[in-house]
């Protein structure tokens, strides 16, 4: 019997919605949603796709898969359409991988709150490996070797390593040399790498070097992505997976297709039309997406300045829309408010300041630490008009409603830590 | 590791698409798709829903769940919105049930080809129980008692019974007295009933008595449905589940929501808009759906007459769009074409006549039998114009393109069995 707990980020999202419904004003930094309007051409594609009411191939239609192949190829991963499957989100694809690939799973600590529960649903052990000091989404190499050894002693069988690039929750991007080192450990230890690149198009500085593990270890890397984050259509549920070329990759793909055929059949056809358009990356879409990435970067850095300003230690964000501060330096101060671990921290921020965050304990992290995840892409305004305004502002931080909400966060943390 | 076989109906569908792409003319009776156009107001709802790009509640938004509650309530199952979850198809909901409810699964033999693989994915044993002579989708009561006893002797733990009403593949509807008998066995043996009612709105004769197990055994019956069949939008992926009222039902619902939150998050928001409209059943939609049910009945009965005419035995269809003939009386004749079991039967029909059907062996049935599933809702024409014409014709069987394809089926079976 599976647990009866809803995924904590989705649960928090519902709680916040309920409190807001009864009139509470809450700054919701606990949910990784890109709160931006739909890029209008995507709506046009959805309308075009509406007439496609029949079932299509399990893997997705040719147009969507060809567009996805081009998308990966442009990122230095030469790809044939047969290596691609589209689905209602990258979540079901990651679940399928868990069901199909044998062995236990190595996860960075902290990491996205769904990796571990999926591993457990598939009967696997999730082995949590600390991240390095400077970047998240990847295990620290020494700790990785040690964790593999220790896991084997305990009778576990680590065969899969999940990397998140850029990372949720730290908002950082592992540098090329580190990716190379992890890939070489994967070769030595015969691990399959699952590279979750759903934030890849939201690297803040387009010139930041990005080396994907599929470039270094192409035969042993599966890549997942989706349109939920980069194009702010989480509610449309569009995910993509790329399998390695060659027989081993084909075996995994066939297993995923078998699982897909029994569990979700196929991505809704109208959404495939959207995927085909978006993954072909026409210039107008690229411009829009670049504007989104810029905005995410500016606001994430602003929130980082706030927490750093009150004395928390925090990796500077370079991709996606999260920061993951550690308030250990302020333990004594926070203790005065009965904040002694990440659960009480999360609760106090919500109850005393109406600020919703996700405690590190939900992400596999040590619950005794004072670490929290703050999702910053929800600060662009409540209306589409406000969101467009933030997106196109020369200085988004001077847009009134953005400045106001940042001011409220600043005030809350200053009061708490002062 | 899961099997690497794609669900056989979806696999056949792809094979047929590939053969057609190279110019072969194939009558495709192997795939349970309602080949009819989208009812235009549904497209309008999809367009309205397009702006809803954010994630919503895992269970589905209030509007969709309220509409679903009304839908069930109108069918003599009083329902609160909290008892309902919407999802990308009823398939993931059925999979979630398999993961959440402990014990092994009792299935009618034959049955829809996805029930057993889902049970296996969840680590369950699928216990196959023969259907009665007159109806499918339900186990024969004597055989059910016997199967439960035998399964327990073997160390299995049957706890779930799946009923399909109306049935895929037999196209029949179990009568009220039989449903009552099965519900009383469920009470005695403490079974959870999963009533798959995805074809419920496609009973051919609106006056046919329909008694759902949730009316008889409300505390132990979970009901699933969806819009794929009744509104011909399989490619949109919209499914619904109704849990029993009370603590036991709530526990199952919470487990399903937990699984949903980790595996698919939520039904795409634009599709929820469609669900909210369709499940409210406005009069125009009811008229459209009734026309569909009438057409399905007329054509299913026509195909039934063809196979009965050549000497096969076959339950007369009363719901959905399938028939499941048994060619045992023609074993000698078919043997001359090296057709000796359902696999060779399926192959021969495709190769010699270009007629695609699904052999009974894919549906849990004895592969040595000469039983095949014929899906008849794919005979209404290749273009939307032809499909509308068939739908609105006073006598669909006299519409040229429908008459032609039925003639081809008649000719094929007459030649094969003559």
């Amino acid at each position: 019997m599976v647990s009866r707990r809803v995924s904590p980020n989705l649960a928090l999202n519902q709680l916040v919605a309920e409190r807001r419904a009864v009139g509470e004003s809450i700054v919701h930094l606990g949910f990784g949603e890109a709160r931006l309007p739909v890029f209008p051409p995507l709506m046009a594609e959805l309308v075009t796709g509406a007439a496609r009411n029949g079932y299509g191939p399990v893997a997705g239609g040719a147009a969507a898969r060809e567009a996805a192949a081009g998308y990966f190829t442009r990122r230095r991963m030469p790809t044939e359409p047969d290596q691609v499957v589209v689905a209602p989100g990258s979540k079901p694809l990651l679940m399928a991988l868990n069901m199909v690939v044998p062995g236990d799973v190595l996860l960075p600590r902290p990491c996205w709150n769904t990796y571990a529960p999926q591993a457990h649903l598939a009967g696997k052990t999730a082995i949590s490996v600390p991240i390095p000091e400077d970047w998240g989404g990847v295990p620290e190499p020494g700790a990785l070797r040690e964790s593999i050894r220790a896991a084997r002693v305990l009778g576990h069988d680590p065969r899969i390593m999940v990397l998140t690039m850029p990372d949720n929750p730290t908002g950082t991007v592992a540098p090329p040399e580190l990716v190379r080192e992890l890939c070489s450990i994967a070769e030595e230890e015969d691990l399959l790498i699952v590279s979750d690149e759903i934030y890849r198009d939201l690297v803040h500085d387009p010139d930041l070097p990005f080396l994907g593990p599929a470039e270094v270890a192409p035969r042993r890397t599966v890549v997942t992505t989706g349109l939920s984050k980069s194009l702010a259509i989480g509610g449309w549920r569009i995910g993509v997976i790329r399998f390695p070329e060659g027989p081993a990759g084909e075996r995994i793909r066939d297993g995923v297709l078998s699982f897909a055929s029994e569990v979700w059949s196929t991505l809704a056809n109208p959404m495939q039309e959207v995927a085909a358009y978006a993954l072909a990356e026409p210039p107008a879409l690229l411009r829009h997406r670049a504007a989104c990435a810029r905005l995410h970067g500016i606001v994430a850095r602003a929130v980082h300045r706030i927490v750093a300003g009150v004395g928390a230690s925090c990796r500077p964000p370079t991709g996606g829309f999260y920061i993951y501060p550690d308030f250990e330096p302020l333990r004594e101060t926070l203790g005065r408010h009965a904040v002694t671990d990440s659960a009480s921290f999360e609760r106090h921020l919500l109850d005393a300041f109406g600020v919703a965050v996700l405690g590190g304990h939900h992400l596999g992290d040590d619950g005794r630490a004072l670490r929290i995840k703050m999702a910053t892409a929800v600060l662009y305004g409540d209306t589409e008009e406000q969101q467009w305004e933030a997106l196109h502002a020369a200085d988004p931080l001077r847009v009134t409603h953005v400045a106001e909400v940042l001011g409220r966060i600043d005030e809350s943390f200053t009061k708490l830590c002062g």
Side-chain angles (χ1 to χ4, degrees), chain A residues 3-4 40 65 231 282 315 340-341:
Chain A
S3 117
R4 290 199 297 273
R65 286 184 296 111
L231 291 170
R315 296 169 186 84
T340 55
D341 54 17

Side-chain angles (χ1 to χ4, degrees), chain A residues 242-267:
Chain A
R242 176 194 185 272
F243 299 98
E245 199 192 348
E250 282 166 24
R251 271 198 301 277
I252 302 175
R253 179 203 59 194
D254 292 351
V256 166
L257 282 176
S258 170
F259 184 79
S261 77
E262 305 298 6
V263 179
W264 69 82
S265 292
T266 179
L267 172 61

Side-chain angles (χ1 to χ4, degrees), chain A residues 310-390:
Chain A
V310 297
S313 68
C314 187
R315 296 169 186 84
T318 52
F321 36 69
Y322 305 99
I323 60 166
Y324 191 68
D326 186 343
F327 285 74
E328 192 57 40
L330 296 153
R331 182 171 285 278
E332 212 187 303
T333 313
L334 293 183
R336 282 181 234 136
H337 305 277
V339 169
T340 55
D341 54 17
S342 57
S344 53
F345 199 2
E346 180 186 312
R347 215 164 33 240
H348 185 70
L349 280 171
L350 187 57
D351 291 342
F353 301 100
V355 173
V357 302
L358 209 59
H361 56 292
H362 293 303
L363 312 171
D365 208 351
D366 184 346
R368 292 166 302 181
L370 295 169
R371 293 189 278 266
I372 54 173
K373 167 170 141 179
M374 301 169 80
T376 59
V378 289
L379 303 176
Y380 310 143
D382 293 331
T383 66
E384 285 201 15
E385 203 186 347
Q386 288 182 330
Q387 293 163 9
W388 283 120
E389 190 190 349

